[in-house]
Amino acid sequence: MTKWDYEADVVVVGSGGAAFTAAILAQDQGTRVVILERTDKLGGTTAISGGAVWIPMNSHMKEVGATDSREEALTYCKKLTDGRAPDALVETFVDVGHQMVDYIESHTPVRFSPMTMPDYHPEENGAKKGGRSIEPQTFDLSVLGEWTDTVRSHPLYPFMGCVTSEELWHVFKVLLNAKNLPVELIMERMDKGQVVHGKALIGGLLKACLDRNIPILLETRGRQLIREDGRIVGLRAEKEGRDYFIKAQGGVVLACGGFEWNVELQTKFLPGIITHPNTPPFNEGDGLIMAAEMGADLANMNEAWWMPSMHTPGDEYEGRPYSNLCVAERTAPHCILVNSQGKRFVNEAATYNEVAKPLFNVNENGTGHRNLPCWAVSDSQYREKYSLMAVSPDDPEPEWFVKADTLEELAAKIGVDAEGLLETVGRFNGFARAGKDKDFGRGDSAYDRFVGDKTTPHPVLGTIEKAPFYAIPLYPGSLGTKGGPRTNNDAQVLDVWGNIIPGLYAAGNAAAGVSGPAYYGGGGVIGTAMTFGYLAGIHAAAEAKRQKQEAA
């Protein structure tokens, strides 16, 4: 028999949106919960994210004049998942997600506001032009007391810490031009201790956990599940350099992120290596590995929440290179993405998930990736209006900028076929003047136009013809992987035969993604994660009570 160092009813591994939601629900059902966090900071990827939550039929949609229905939501979601996620899980997400939001708002300090961002594929049947994405309102982090500094901060805080996503996109248009940053508003919110985005979401959920006296063990890494008589009864963790055994009467909830920082797992499962992840550098597949050791069936392992990324030399986060999200450099007018042949290969203004996927397209001869390396090419018209790698138009240009007086010279500097680049730019300029991209449909979607510059003749199309010209390398990034143990409607992990592994649950990026290859809309990661964290907490608590009754 295992000698336990700590005993609880439900053990939650991780501290992001899925984990905290699971812990809150399990505790509210009358069970004893403990949370394990591998690092000395709380919040995981959720804390440094935009904090948006994509939820159909949420109660805030009416605030932006939007309506929704189960039929519309399922039509949209099932079209995007394309049969690569179980219909039952998609239906569960649609049916339960809005209930989860209502519960969180009524039982925690978290409050949401609707966003005007359209669904990521607004032309599909059942899509909405706004309202399904909601984001946390500002949160006063000081109410956390001694726990305040444990909440993970974004590398670009306060830039990303004090201005909401709706403000960034719609009000101040900061993501197109960093000089639009509302400095006075930021200083005011900083003085008041107010944060937004994922930090606000985690702050509110953490406050709810602290109010419930849920123990949180920092720097405690889950390493191995323990099974007795066919069910998971706890796990072995690493704490202060030694083994630490924790009992779980009802079960263990794995909510500790994906494997985008584990090159070995990436090599085995993904179509290419995520060279520039956009998450804290601790998502190494701990939950996936623990579940696999127990015979869990794995699914959706070749998918990720893809993100085209850029890197400013010298930028670091937690001792690793930090990669920026590529936004204006591909969505604003006067820019394109090209491969080594100088050819475009994608609608640059599409969702980041769709833009990044073609980076791994294989060459016609079956070797190598056709669109890597990739370059964002722009001109002085772009430089005069928009930010380039957070360098605003008024900022001096850093030495690492790749700059040339002609496209031919630029091509030589970056190792791109000059003839191909000239042909591509000439063709694109014709599209820009006509206001119609005949090759990739850039600007045809309402989403494209939302992320563009609405003050220009065309929000995402503009010629590239005014010297000097610029090129910035673009890399494969990710907001997390989407593969992991397969689960049922209660977030219970299934084995390779489709049987439930008693006492084991998974949610968020530690589980097989319930959206398959799709990205429904802004907040699609956290929305599904919190929904199945909610279900995991409820079921694990009920299982703990059942186990106690049987033992009595």
Side-chain angles (χ1 to χ4, degrees):
M1 295 292 291
T2 304
K3 182 179 179 180
W4 304 107
D5 296 296
Y6 195 103
E7 295 190 19
D9 295 322
V10 177
V11 176
V12 178
V13 185
S15 67
F20 277 159
T21 303
I24 290 166
L25 266 296
Q27 186 84 6
D28 286 358
Q29 309 308 306
T31 59
R32 297 169 301 135
V33 180
V34 64
I35 297 170
L36 312 186
E37 166 53 45
R38 169 179 169 173
T39 74
D40 64 346
K41 293 288 187 283
L42 295 168
T45 303
T46 304
I48 69 166
S49 74
V53 182
W54 190 88
I55 297 290
M57 299 186 291
N58 73 75
S59 60
H60 294 282
M61 294 184 70
K62 60 181 180 293
E63 298 170 31
V64 291
T67 60
D68 204 356
S69 70
R70 183 178 191 269
E71 181 181 3
E72 289 174 302
L74 288 177
T75 297
Y76 176 71
C77 291
K78 289 184 179 181
K79 174 63 183 298
L80 294 188
T81 56
D82 195 29
R84 291 170 56 190
D87 283 353
L89 291 188
V90 177
E91 292 169 9
T92 297
F93 166 60
V94 169
D95 291 338
V96 177
H98 58 95
Q99 299 175 19
M100 176 274 294
V101 169
D102 290 344
Y103 189 94
I104 290 298
E105 288 196 295
S106 61
H107 291 79
T108 80
V110 175
R111 297 294 180 270
F112 292 104
S113 294
M115 299 173 66
T116 56
M117 177 182 289
D119 292 344
Y120 280 177
H121 300 274
E123 282 67 48
E124 294 290 347
N125 290 336
K128 295 295 175 179
K129 299 296 175 65
R132 282 178 175 160
S133 295
I134 56 178
E135 65 174 330
Q137 297 178 12
T138 56
F139 180 78
D140 181 0
L141 215 61
S142 66
V143 301
L144 299 177
E146 62 181 348
W147 288 87
T148 298
D149 292 336
T150 65
V151 179
R152 185 172 293 280
S153 289
H154 191 282
L156 297 181
Y157 182 84
F159 169 74
M160 287 291 289
C162 296
V163 186
T164 69
S165 293
E166 189 70 7
E167 290 168 337
L168 286 171
W169 279 112
H170 191 64
V171 180
F172 302 112
K173 302 177 177 62
V174 175
L175 294 178
L176 290 173
N177 191 337
K179 75 176 182 180
N180 295 335
L181 203 65
V183 177
E184 291 185 4
L185 176 62
I186 290 174
M187 296 304 296
E188 177 185 345
R189 287 177 177 170
M190 289 183 68
D191 288 343
K192 294 180 179 179
Q194 294 178 334
V195 293
V196 297
H197 294 143
K199 197 167 186 178
L201 178 57
I202 289 300
L205 294 175
L206 172 57
K207 182 64 167 64
C209 291
L210 297 177
D211 288 345
R212 289 162 171 78
N213 296 314
I214 299 176
I216 301 174
L217 306 183
L218 295 173
E219 297 182 275
T220 305
R221 183 180 184 180
R223 292 303 249 167
Q224 186 177 39
L225 296 165
I226 297 173
R227 179 159 48 192
E228 293 179 2
D229 298 325
R231 65 174 293 108
I232 305 303
V233 297
L235 82 164
R236 175 179 65 83
E238 290 179 357
K239 182 176 176 62
E240 298 177 349
R242 69 176 184 88
D243 287 342
Y244 191 80
F245 294 91
I246 305 172
K247 182 179 181 179
Q249 181 83 35
V252 174
V253 180
L254 301 174
C256 45
F259 59 89
E260 64 273 13
W261 285 93
N262 187 319
V263 175
E264 181 180 355
L265 288 177
Q266 288 191 58
T267 302
K268 289 180 179 178
F269 297 110
L270 296 181
I273 298 299
I274 302 169
T275 58
H276 291 68
N278 311 101
T279 63
F282 308 103
N283 294 337
E284 297 181 294
D286 289 358
L288 166 72
I289 293 169
M290 285 190 283
E293 287 180 330
M294 297 295 107
D297 191 19
L298 304 181
N300 216 41
M301 292 297 294
N302 63 335
E303 290 292 344
W305 307 97
W306 303 108
M307 171 64 71
S309 298
M310 293 179 163
H311 175 66
T312 301
D315 276 4
E316 288 191 349
Y317 184 63
E318 296 280 356
R320 301 282 191 95
Y322 172 70
S323 299
N324 298 288
L325 315 183
C326 176
V327 182
E329 296 85 356
R330 62 181 178 82
T331 61
H334 314 295
C335 67
I336 56 174
L337 300 182
V338 300
N339 58 22
S340 61
Q341 299 302 307
K343 303 295 185 181
R344 293 176 67 211
F345 55 89
V346 72
N347 166 15
E348 295 92 342
T351 73
Y352 40 85
N353 192 53
E354 299 304 321
V355 170
K357 284 183 178 181
L359 294 176
F360 295 124
N361 286 355
V362 178
N363 281 311
E364 286 80 356
N365 64 6
T367 62
H369 294 123
R370 184 189 314 162
N371 299 318
L372 288 173
C374 173
W375 296 86
V377 172
S378 57
D379 71 350
S380 291
Q381 296 178 92
Y382 177 100
R383 181 78 182 94
E384 291 165 3
K385 297 178 184 178
Y386 311 112
S387 291
L388 193 59
M389 292 281 287
V391 178
S392 67
D394 298 332
D395 292 337
E397 294 178 353
E399 294 181 359
W400 47 265
F401 263 25
V402 181
K403 178 180 177 182
D405 291 329
T406 67
L407 287 170
E408 294 92 336
E409 182 186 355
L410 187 73
K413 285 186 174 182
I414 62 178
V416 165
D417 181 79
E419 184 176 338
L421 181 61
L422 285 170
E423 180 184 348
T424 295
V425 170
R427 183 172 176 81
F428 179 78
N429 286 346
F431 296 157
R433 293 187 182 98
K436 178 69 175 179
D437 176 11
K438 294 183 179 180
D439 285 344
F440 298 100
R442 177 171 169 177
D444 291 351
S445 170
Y447 176 82
D448 297 7
R449 297 188 290 276
F450 178 86
V451 298
D453 183 354
K454 301 176 184 65
T455 67
T456 61
H458 193 290
V460 296
L461 295 177
T463 60
I464 301 173
E465 58 185 350
K466 183 179 178 182
F469 301 93
Y470 300 86
I472 300 291
L474 184 146
Y475 307 101
S478 172
L479 303 177
T481 53
K482 299 175 73 173
R486 191 160 60 90
T487 56
N488 66 10
N489 291 355
D490 291 312
Q492 293 176 285
V493 174
L494 306 176
D495 67 15
V496 293
W497 303 107
N499 300 313
I500 293 168
I501 300 178
L504 186 58
Y505 303 81
N509 291 347
V514 299
S515 61
Y519 208 137
Y520 301 135
V525 185
I526 303 176
T528 53
M530 290 181 65
T531 299
F532 282 89
Y534 173 91
L535 289 165
I538 293 173
H539 197 278
E543 184 65 11
K545 293 178 180 179
R546 189 179 71 83
Q547 290 294 317
K548 287 181 179 179
Q549 289 175 352
E550 289 184 358

